[in-house]
Amino acid sequence: MKVLVTDPIADAGLAYLRDQGHEVETAYDLTQSELLDAVGDANALIVRSGTEVTDEVFDAAPELIIVGRAGIGVDNIDIDAATDHGVIVANAPQGNVRAAAEHTVAMTFATARSIPQAHARLSNGEWAKGDFLGTELNDKTLGVVGFGRVGQEVAKRLGSLGMDLVAFDPYISEERADQLGAELVDDIDACLDRADFLTIHTPLTSETENMISDDELAQLEDGYVINCARGGIVDEPALASAVEDGILQGAAVDVFAEEPVDPDNPLLDVEDVIVTPHLGASTSAAQENVAVSTAEQVVAAFNDEPVLNALNAPSVDKSAFPRIQPYIDLADTAGEIAVQLFDDRVEEVEITYAGDIADEDVELVTASALKGVFEPLEWQVNAVNAPRIAEDRGIDVIESKSRSAEDFQSLVTVTVSNDDDSISVCGTQFAGNDPRIVRIDGYRVDAVPRGHMLVARNEDSPGVIGFIGSVLGEADINIAGMFNGRETIGGEALSVYTLDDPVPDEVLTRLNEDGRIIKTTYISLNGA
């Protein structure tokens, strides 16, 4: 097999591929036209962040089996196009975790003690001992926003140095936080209010872009910010102003919204802001780890073996696939609905199979259900990496089976819960690949899961359904389908509306202002 490597990786990865008997061609700094020519007969493509792997590249590479990203970020790879072309995309998310954590710790010390600034002054012949009064980390509080792999490694290291740990992450269990000596708080404001030092370890998504801006920085008065995660999470002009105006004592930044960084970036002009050029993964050990990990996944793909860090390649026995295929998307949808209805921290996910589906190998269906639950967390999540995300975040996953399926041939139920609350969503398949949601939190319903849904808990009294319909109609939101379920006459009811349009916040507010409405939840499915 031929492997094309278009960005430099450690020699250990290249050697592993050659030792396995594969041809390796290195071609760096290619133009897009040159890349299209070079990839034509490649079976695997290995890149870092310098190569843009577009739909055009996949069109030009009919023999391509896998794209390996020697690192974690895959912003430069069109994963949807890869999937359309049947190409696996795999990254190496663990190889540089330790390096990123250690760089974060180094940046924390550097900003707390003004090490680069003091070095610069002394190098220029100035003995400025009296100008630098540092901050000790001992007995200070470290706020960690994003308690995944890197965040946990940072917490271990700084916690052992005497820092108190406060973490905010809606998708980490209290048990996992307790294991690491961290107090888990319910919202980012609580984390900011407590933190003397704030370190960020979340992916960059539409939800996290500029998540830390003027108001958040004001809550950290006299504190420090360290960002070695992704550029764009912290509002750079706001951070520069906060440090320059004395609201913060200092900051350390390794990542930028635009890289290479613009020379006019305001962070570069503030003395108490330490900057490094995205060095978090730049250690020889980390580079060797990600190179070998990527090479191993390429070889696994060549051998038709599981690709551990594949981002788009769920697998199952070919003969069993037709029987479970209809339930893969159904489980994903049930998970999406459940987590959007569950307004609390998820600590446990249970997937229950009843009826004929219980006789099948449902590992892939379970993973798909987890994908649906975790979809709001990380845009990279899929049926392959969802179980690992659950493990990393200490979320218990329970799979159970039963031969009895009430009135259905097969039934899949996804339940999300913590010690205080839970919610369940049940789905089935009717003949002809017709997915239905048939029970929500114990209420019998019959809803076709599609792009936009409104779930309303309300009093079972005359006029409520008409009121909801009128409000939606006045907002020019078309109702495609509706089902009302209740347990007792005059008690509480649950109604599900399948809609052609999204529901704006102001419409939800108007609905919830009515005394007969207990709660309404707008649900978007499949990226709608």
Side-chain angles (χ1 to χ4, degrees):
M1 294 284 196
K2 179 178 177 180
V3 182
L4 176 65
V5 184
T6 58
D7 293 312
I9 66 170
D11 290 341
L14 304 178
Y16 179 84
L17 291 166
R18 292 185 176 115
D19 289 344
Q20 296 296 312
H22 301 294
E23 175 189 353
V24 178
E25 177 184 334
T26 58
Y28 308 144
D29 299 321
L30 298 177
T31 66
Q32 192 70 5
S33 176
E34 290 170 340
L35 174 61
L36 297 180
D37 290 337
V39 81
D41 60 348
N43 304 110
L45 174 63
I46 294 180
V47 303
R48 293 181 66 190
S49 59
T51 301
E52 291 291 327
V53 188
T54 63
D55 186 47
E56 191 177 18
V57 173
F58 291 111
D59 282 336
E63 305 300 321
L64 202 59
I65 297 171
I66 181 172
V67 174
R69 165 61 164 98
I72 187 169
V74 290
D75 297 348
N76 55 315
I77 303 172
D78 189 334
I79 297 178
D80 288 336
T83 303
D84 290 341
H85 287 79
V87 178
I88 300 168
V89 177
N91 63 353
Q94 295 183 336
N96 56 17
V97 167
R98 184 177 290 107
E102 289 184 359
H103 192 68
T104 302
V105 172
M107 294 285 269
T108 304
F109 274 109
T111 189
R113 300 303 298 268
S114 303
I115 292 171
Q117 297 93 327
H119 168 81
R121 298 273 289 276
L122 187 56
S123 295
N124 288 329
E126 185 178 355
W127 186 262
K129 181 178 180 179
D131 292 348
F132 297 103
L133 187 65
T135 299
E136 293 186 14
L137 302 188
N138 184 53
D139 290 334
K140 298 298 188 299
T141 298
L142 177 71
V144 185
V145 176
F147 212 53
R149 286 185 293 265
V150 178
Q152 291 177 24
E153 291 298 320
V154 171
K156 289 177 188 176
R157 286 157 174 77
L158 291 178
S160 69
L161 296 174
M163 297 195 80
D164 296 324
L165 305 175
V166 175
F168 167 65
D169 191 324
Y171 291 88
I172 200 77
S173 69
E174 289 190 15
E175 180 181 4
R176 181 57 177 160
D178 288 343
Q179 290 172 353
L180 296 167
E183 178 185 347
L184 199 61
V185 293
D186 292 331
D187 55 59
I188 192 170
D189 289 331
C191 185
L192 293 166
D193 288 339
R194 298 273 300 281
D196 300 302
F197 290 78
L198 184 77
T199 181
I200 298 127
H201 301 285
T202 69
L204 177 64
T205 67
S206 58
E207 288 77 21
T208 62
E209 185 174 7
N210 287 333
M211 177 176 64
I212 307 297
S213 192
D214 295 282
D215 292 344
E216 291 75 20
L217 296 170
Q219 291 179 257
L220 283 166
E221 185 175 2
D222 291 331
Y224 298 83
V225 170
I226 301 95
N227 183 19
C228 297
R230 283 287 183 268
I233 297 172
V234 179
D235 183 334
E236 293 173 352
L239 179 60
S241 296
V243 177
E244 192 166 36
D245 295 344
I247 296 171
L248 300 179
Q249 293 195 56
V253 179
D254 184 51
V255 289
F256 301 88
E258 179 185 337
E259 295 182 358
V261 67
D262 190 318
D264 294 328
N265 189 305
L267 293 173
L268 304 184
D269 296 327
V270 181
E271 183 179 4
D272 290 325
V273 176
I274 297 168
V275 292
T276 51
H278 205 148
L279 299 180
S282 295
T283 69
S284 56
Q287 294 307 304
E288 183 168 317
N289 289 341
V290 298
V292 172
S293 174
T294 304
E296 288 174 342
Q297 293 185 87
V298 167
V299 172
F302 287 167
N303 295 336
D304 291 325
E305 297 171 353
V307 179
L308 296 180
N309 292 312
L311 300 174
N312 65 337
S315 61
V316 69
D317 183 82
K318 186 179 295 186
S319 63
F321 186 71
R323 296 193 296 275
I324 70 165
Q325 183 179 18
Y327 296 92
I328 295 172
D329 288 342
L330 178 65
D332 184 324
T333 300
E336 279 195 78
I337 294 172
V339 78
Q340 291 181 73
L341 289 172
F342 190 69
D343 190 20
D344 207 340
R345 176 177 293 110
V346 177
E347 295 183 350
E348 181 179 284
V349 180
E350 181 175 6
I351 303 94
T352 304
Y353 301 94
D356 292 351
I357 188 67
D359 292 331
E360 302 294 342
D361 178 359
V362 292
E363 182 178 4
L364 177 56
V365 185
T366 295
S368 188
L370 292 176
K371 170 184 174 292
V373 172
F374 298 144
E375 199 90 55
L377 170 64
E378 293 184 52
W379 68 268
Q380 288 187 16
V381 68
N382 63 17
V384 175
N385 60 16
R388 179 169 292 178
I389 289 174
E391 180 181 357
D392 288 344
R393 296 177 178 276
I395 295 174
D396 293 329
V397 178
I398 300 171
E399 181 184 296
S400 58
K401 295 183 176 183
S402 171
R403 286 295 303 140
S404 173
E406 301 180 28
D407 301 324
F408 306 99
Q409 186 172 348
S410 291
L411 198 65
V412 176
T413 303
V414 179
T415 303
V416 295
S417 64
N418 56 30
D419 289 339
D420 300 318
D421 201 6
S422 68
I423 194 162
S424 297
V425 176
C426 305
T428 191
Q429 280 283 353
F430 291 164
N433 193 22
D434 183 10
R436 298 294 180 92
I437 299 301
V438 294
R439 194 178 293 277
I440 294 178
D441 207 23
Y443 291 90
R444 187 70 176 266
V445 298
D446 184 6
V448 179
R450 48 182 294 178
H452 307 282
M453 297 175 67
L454 179 72
V455 177
R457 293 178 183 270
N458 52 269
E459 294 178 1
D460 181 34
S461 58
V464 178
I465 293 175
F467 167 71
I468 294 173
S470 296
V471 172
L472 293 175
E474 291 169 8
D476 204 27
I477 298 171
N478 192 49
I479 299 174
M482 179 267 173
F483 192 92
N484 185 61
R486 66 183 185 185
E487 293 180 341
T488 59
I489 298 175
E492 183 177 322
L494 183 144
S495 52
V496 180
Y497 301 82
T498 304
L499 308 172
D500 291 334
D501 310 284
V503 182
D505 289 343
E506 55 266 26
V507 173
L508 294 176
T509 299
R510 184 178 174 193
L511 290 171
N512 290 327
E513 286 173 347
D514 189 281
R516 299 167 297 178
I517 304 294
I518 299 168
K519 182 181 180 181
T520 59
T521 304
Y522 165 63
I523 294 172
S524 63
L525 300 175
N526 304 319

